Amino acid sequence: MRAFLSALIILALVGCNSNSVEVPVEENTVEVIVDSVPLVVEEVDSIETKVVDTVSVELKNSIPSHFSDIRDGKEYKIVKIGEQIWMSENLAFRPDSGNFWAYNDDNSNVDKYGYLYDGETAKEVCPVGWHLPSHEEWGELINFLGGEKDVAKKLKSTLNWKVNGNGTNESGFNAIAGGSLYTGKYQYIDSIGSWWTSSFFNESAYWSFDINYTIVGQGPYDIMNGIERMGTHSIAGLSVRCIKD
C-alpha cells in the first residue's frame, strides 16, 4: 500500500512539473507578435516615399503663379517663357540705398508701374534667387518668341498703351509702358517701356531694351518691330524686370 501511495505522489509531482513547462510557449507567442511589427513599419515607410516622389514630380512640371518678396511682402505674378522664369510685373521694391523714383514723384504710380531705378541700383535690387537679366537673356526671350516678327505685340499688355499700341500678351510677359527718367525729366509713360540689363554697353552705360507703341528710332540701334536695344547712361531711371536664377 505504501509503495502504491508513493507511486501516486511521484506521478503527481511529475504532472506539476510538466505544467510549468508552458512558459516557453508563451514566450514564443510574444516573439511572433514582435517579429510582425517591423513588417508594418516597413509598409508605412514605402507609402511615405511614394508621396514624396509624387510631390517632386509635380514641382518639376509646374511653377507657382506668384512670387512673394520676403523683404516687403509684395507679391509678383511670374511666368515661364521657354526655359526662363520672369516676373510679369515691374519691380516695385523700395531699397534702403541707391537711386530710384516713382514716376512724376507720385507714389500712387508705383503699384502699377513699379519704380524707376538708375543702372547701378538696378543691378542690386532684385530679391534673393532672382537677378537683373543680361543682354543675352533678353535676347533669348525674344528669340524664343520668334525673333523680330511681331515680338513686341507678344510681350505687351493688352491695356493702357497709347496710340492703339496694345499688344496680345500671348507670352504672359505683360510689358507695360512705365516711361523713364532722363536728365531730370519724366517722359513717355504709357508710350514706351524701358528696362535695364546687367550688361555693359560702355564704361558709363548699360544695354537697355525699349518697347514702343510703334516702330521708332534712328541711328545705330537694333530695331525689332517695336523693340529697341541701345546703350543707356547709368544715371537714367528705367524699369526693372527680374529673372529667376
Side-chain angles (χ1 to χ4, degrees), residues 67-76 87 91 93 125 127:
F67 166 80
S68 181
D69 190 340
I70 62 172
R71 300 173 297 180
D72 58 7
K74 181 173 174 58
E75 285 198 345
Y76 297 90
M87 289 185 182
L91 192 68
F93 176 69
V125 79

Side-chain angles (χ1 to χ4, degrees), residues 9-221:
I9 291 169
I10 290 169
L11 287 172
L13 288 174
V14 170
C16 290
N17 289 337
S18 65
N19 288 336
S20 65
V21 178
E22 298 282 338
V23 175
V25 174
E26 206 172 317
E27 287 178 356
N28 288 339
T29 303
V30 172
E31 287 176 1
V32 170
I33 293 171
V34 172
D35 285 344
S36 67
V37 172
L39 295 177
V40 175
V41 173
E42 187 65 35
E43 288 180 6
V44 172
D45 284 343
S46 65
I47 292 170
E48 289 177 349
T49 301
K50 289 179 182 178
V51 170
V52 171
D53 288 346
T54 301
V55 171
S56 67
V57 168
E58 290 175 355
L59 290 176
K60 287 176 182 177
N61 293 334
S62 63
I63 64 166
S65 61
H66 290 75
F67 166 80
S68 181
D69 190 340
I70 62 172
R71 300 173 297 180
D72 58 7
K74 181 173 174 58
E75 285 198 345
Y76 297 90
K77 295 177 182 178
I78 62 177
V79 62
K80 185 175 183 181
I81 305 173
E83 296 301 315
Q84 299 174 319
I85 298 175
W86 291 82
M87 289 185 182
S88 55
E89 299 178 68
N90 290 346
L91 192 68
F93 176 69
R94 183 183 180 90
D96 293 329
S97 60
N99 297 308
F100 56 95
W101 305 267
Y103 192 90
N104 271 345
D105 300 320
D106 183 352
N107 287 326
S108 67
N109 283 321
V110 175
D111 283 343
K112 179 177 180 180
Y113 300 102
Y115 282 110
L116 302 173
Y117 303 90
D118 74 3
E120 296 300 324
T121 306
K123 290 172 64 178
E124 305 297 331
V125 79
C126 288
V128 173
W130 299 76
H131 63 273
L132 186 68
S134 66
H135 182 273
E136 289 74 21
E137 286 172 316
W138 270 96
E140 182 180 337
L141 170 68
I142 291 166
N143 289 335
F144 179 80
L145 295 174
E148 299 180 8
K149 185 176 176 57
D150 294 328
V151 68
K153 286 184 179 180
K154 296 174 183 178
L155 291 170
K156 288 197 287 187
S157 66
T158 59
L159 299 170
N160 301 316
W161 286 81
K162 290 181 179 177
V163 199
N164 297 319
N166 292 333
T168 63
N169 194 34
E170 61 190 89
S171 66
F173 188 83
N174 198 42
I176 59 173
S180 57
L181 175 66
Y182 282 101
T183 61
K185 181 182 178 181
Y186 294 103
Q187 54 191 359
Y188 304 132
I189 197 165
D190 293 333
S191 294
I192 299 177
S194 300
W195 291 271
W196 288 113
T197 83
S198 60
S199 302
F200 284 108
F201 180 80
N202 60 33
E203 60 183 13
S204 61
Y206 292 95
W207 280 103
S208 66
F209 279 78
D210 283 6
I211 298 179
N212 309 289
Y213 64 88
T214 185
I215 302 175
V216 297
Q218 299 291 329
Y221 307 132

